Amino acid sequence: MEKLNMGVICQYAEGDFVKGDKDVIISEIVIDSREVSSDSLFIPIIGERFDGHQFLEGAYDNGCRSFIIDKNHVFVKDDINLIIVDDTTKAFGLISKGYKNQFNIPFIAITGSVGKTSTKDIIYSVLSQKYNTLKTEGNLNNSIGLPKTLLKLNFKHEIGIVEMGMDKKGEISYLTNLVNPDVAVITNIGMSHIMNFENQEGIFKAKMEIVNGLKSNGLLIVNGDDKFLGKLKKGKCDYELLTYGFNPNNDIYCKDYVIGDSSSRFTCVYKDKEYKFEIASVAKHNIYNAMIAILIGFRYDLDATEINSGLLNLKVTGKRLDIFKTDKYRIIDDTYNASYDSVMSALEVLNNFEGRKVAILGDILELGDYSKEIHQKIGENINCDVVISIGDYAKYIDEEATKRGLESYYFLTKEDFFNNLPVILLQGDNILIKASRGMQFDEIVDFLKNC
């Protein structure tokens, strides 16, 4: 973060400066009282389980002397600089927006039900071949994480990439209006957080909020093979629209591909010209995501060689199809999160490998009334040698897989599975491990590493 004074911060936050010195210089804005220093500004965020205002004294004791609080709280000290706002979370966002607007650089914003983080990583890898690029760290993609990312900007950055997540209507609209992106990306419309919407159409409308903050001359890139996003080509819009996919009616499409042991080679067609690329991924869905990066690479004046170099040097955020070998097994760690679409994509990756294929699958959470249906659908469509289902709803995967004659095992808990592991898994197995993050299936990965 570049330095700001308290007076400017007060203007950005739309607050009232009630005590101290407006000329005091701030070098970092912090929401964790344990991380403050003497030149920090501490903003106490009110969350679902705690109120950050209870840590004001702790921040003060740790040396902080500059604070923003909301109008419902009081903090009295003789030697502090104090701004009062209506809502500290909104003030945090407004400050990040004002700060971001100091930098005249393009921004790319990414949303979608599945693949946001992988897409961000791929675009970053490509653009970094030519530009000093800022990107969202991990999955800091909400009303707290996105401002944190914007506040990491400095004058060396030449382009920014941010991820935008949501679980209800209105969240994407809020985030996109903090950023006002030059390019917006929607990867797909799936079933994630379906419990908060009436149907997928509701999810589609919520994801489309990303254009609410898109600059007037902005570009929207969408998956043209998606049944919801593909409809956009038939309508009128106030922005430039480009589509990608495997269907030739897209603006860029994959003509053919070959998936190898550690990378995928593919040919795509864009503006009637064929290009050959290779990406350091064995997941077909990352060919989709690569085409987004190719479009953006061309838009920002990279040539095909630079784009291909970025695809080959890809490093994705952890626990997303991490593939490694132990003395006994090849493990595919895809434990970060899960949806129906991402489970089926991960199973495609599993089936690329020679040898016995084992899928260890757990509950997909936040599906509401769709929970039984989605888990049954996985069981109806799964294709591997051994299915191991763990969790409350995973029993429906097991039931359908058993009906189809697959070798299938069901356990209510991870501990039950660990106790039976020696009679199920074999030396040399290829093992996919996937479930929603709340299932903590990284514990299974760690257990198998040490077998």
Side-chain angles (χ1 to χ4, degrees):
M1 174 179 163
E2 302 289 343
K3 294 179 179 180
L4 296 172
N5 68 44
M6 282 290 286
V8 169
I9 290 172
C10 186
Q11 291 176 11
Y12 289 161
E14 298 179 0
D16 293 320
F17 196 93
V18 296
K19 185 178 179 60
D21 183 356
K22 290 185 178 182
D23 292 327
V24 164
I25 299 298
I26 300 299
S27 63
E28 61 175 354
I29 297 174
V30 180
I31 62 172
D32 187 332
S33 62
R34 297 165 297 183
E35 298 175 355
V36 299
S37 63
S38 59
D39 56 356
S40 300
L41 168 67
F42 177 61
I43 303 181
I45 301 297
I46 300 176
E48 292 181 2
R49 291 171 293 185
F50 64 88
D51 181 347
H53 291 83
Q54 66 185 298
F55 303 111
L56 289 167
E57 288 285 354
Y60 181 86
D61 291 343
N62 288 333
C64 184
R65 292 297 182 268
S66 298
F67 300 87
I68 289 180
I69 63 172
D70 76 18
K71 61 186 180 181
N72 298 315
H73 292 81
V74 176
F75 189 49
V76 180
K77 297 288 180 184
D78 291 334
D79 57 343
I80 62 172
N81 309 293
L82 185 63
I83 297 169
I84 295 179
V85 297
D86 289 339
D87 182 307
T88 51
T89 299
K90 289 184 178 178
F92 189 42
L94 288 170
I95 293 166
S96 72
K97 179 183 175 102
Y99 179 76
K100 178 258 177 187
N101 287 340
Q102 296 183 103
F103 303 86
N104 186 25
I105 64 172
F107 264 80
I108 297 137
I110 305 158
T111 194
S113 296
V114 181
K116 295 183 291 294
T117 301
S118 297
T119 300
K120 172 201 68 184
D121 290 337
I122 296 170
I123 296 170
Y124 174 83
S125 190
V126 167
L127 291 178
S128 293
Q129 301 302 304
K130 187 168 184 175
Y131 300 105
N132 187 319
T133 308
L134 173 76
K135 71 167 180 174
T136 299
E137 294 179 2
N139 71 317
L140 294 175
N141 58 21
N142 59 14
S143 60
I144 302 302
L146 189 142
K148 280 186 175 181
T149 298
L150 297 181
L151 290 169
K152 289 184 181 296
L153 275 168
N154 62 56
F155 288 117
K156 292 181 181 178
H157 287 125
E158 298 170 296
I159 199 163
I161 309 166
V162 292
E163 186 179 329
M164 296 181 179
M166 64 142 213
D167 57 23
K168 57 183 180 292
K169 181 181 177 182
E171 289 184 314
I172 296 295
S173 186
Y174 172 73
L175 297 175
T176 190
N177 278 295
L178 294 184
V179 178
N180 298 123
D182 301 82
V183 178
V185 175
I186 307 177
T187 59
N188 45 51
I189 305 299
M191 300 287 283
S192 300
H193 309 296
I194 188 69
M195 65 186 294
N196 296 328
F197 298 89
E198 291 186 8
N199 48 39
Q200 274 186 283
E201 183 70 30
I203 294 174
F204 166 64
K205 290 178 180 178
K207 295 295 185 184
M208 281 298 297
E209 291 174 9
I210 199 168
V211 303
N212 293 349
L214 189 63
K215 288 184 178 175
S216 59
N217 60 344
L219 166 65
L220 176 65
I221 299 174
V222 301
N223 182 339
D225 292 352
D226 184 279
K227 68 177 182 179
F228 292 95
L229 297 169
K231 296 185 296 186
L232 294 174
K233 290 200 74 166
K234 298 177 182 178
K236 294 182 179 179
C237 52
D238 298 327
Y239 42 80
E240 183 182 355
L241 176 70
L242 290 177
T243 64
Y244 64 91
F246 282 70
N247 193 310
N249 67 0
N250 288 298
D251 294 293
I252 184 171
Y253 67 91
C254 178
K255 182 179 179 183
D256 55 62
Y257 67 96
V258 176
I259 294 178
D261 291 334
S262 59
S263 66
S264 303
R265 292 184 173 88
F266 63 100
T267 303
C268 63
V269 179
Y270 178 55
K271 293 185 176 180
D272 298 321
K273 185 176 179 179
E274 288 191 5
Y275 298 89
K276 294 187 181 298
F277 293 104
E278 183 176 1
I279 184 170
S281 171
V282 295
K284 181 182 176 182
H285 64 260
N286 275 336
I287 297 176
Y288 273 101
N289 299 336
M291 285 189 279
I292 303 170
I294 292 164
L295 288 173
I296 291 173
F298 283 141
R299 185 174 184 87
Y300 289 105
D301 300 320
L302 277 75
D303 60 33
T305 300
E306 291 169 319
I307 292 171
N308 197 64
S309 179
L311 297 177
L312 277 172
N313 286 287
L314 171 66
K315 291 180 176 60
V316 296
T317 302
K319 300 189 181 298
R320 291 166 173 83
L321 293 174
D322 287 347
I323 302 171
F324 57 90
K325 285 186 176 182
T326 70
D327 292 339
K328 289 186 178 180
Y329 314 117
R330 176 187 281 117
I331 295 175
I332 304 170
D333 177 359
D334 201 22
T335 57
Y336 177 74
N337 219 335
S339 65
Y340 172 77
D341 294 320
S342 67
V343 168
M344 301 314 295
S345 294
L347 287 166
E348 281 189 23
V349 174
L350 174 65
N351 285 317
N352 288 336
F353 296 105
E354 296 292 330
R356 203 170 79 131
K357 301 166 185 64
V358 180
I360 303 176
L361 304 178
D363 289 355
I364 302 174
L365 306 177
E366 298 182 338
L367 292 176
D369 293 340
Y370 292 87
S371 295
K372 181 178 179 180
E373 175 187 339
I374 294 300
H375 289 87
Q376 285 178 327
K377 190 176 177 182
I378 292 171
E380 291 167 358
N381 292 284
I382 195 169
N383 181 26
C384 59
D385 298 301
V386 180
V387 182
I388 300 170
S389 306
I390 304 171
D392 294 323
Y393 290 105
K395 66 184 178 183
Y396 298 115
I397 300 175
D398 173 69
E399 288 175 2
E400 297 303 321
T402 301
K403 286 179 187 177
R404 295 172 51 219
L406 298 178
E407 182 180 343
S408 186
Y409 303 87
Y410 171 70
F411 303 99
L412 182 60
T413 68
K414 296 187 288 286
E415 290 69 29
D416 292 339
F417 165 63
F418 294 152
N419 292 333
N420 288 273
L421 182 150
V423 298
I424 301 175
L425 299 182
L426 302 176
Q427 180 88 23
D429 279 349
N430 301 289
I431 306 172
L432 167 67
I433 306 166
K434 187 162 183 67
S436 281
R437 185 171 26 178
M439 296 296 291
Q440 299 179 330
F441 267 31
D442 51 335
E443 294 176 3
I444 297 178
V445 175
D446 293 338
F447 188 90
L448 293 180
K449 282 181 180 179
N450 296 311
C451 282

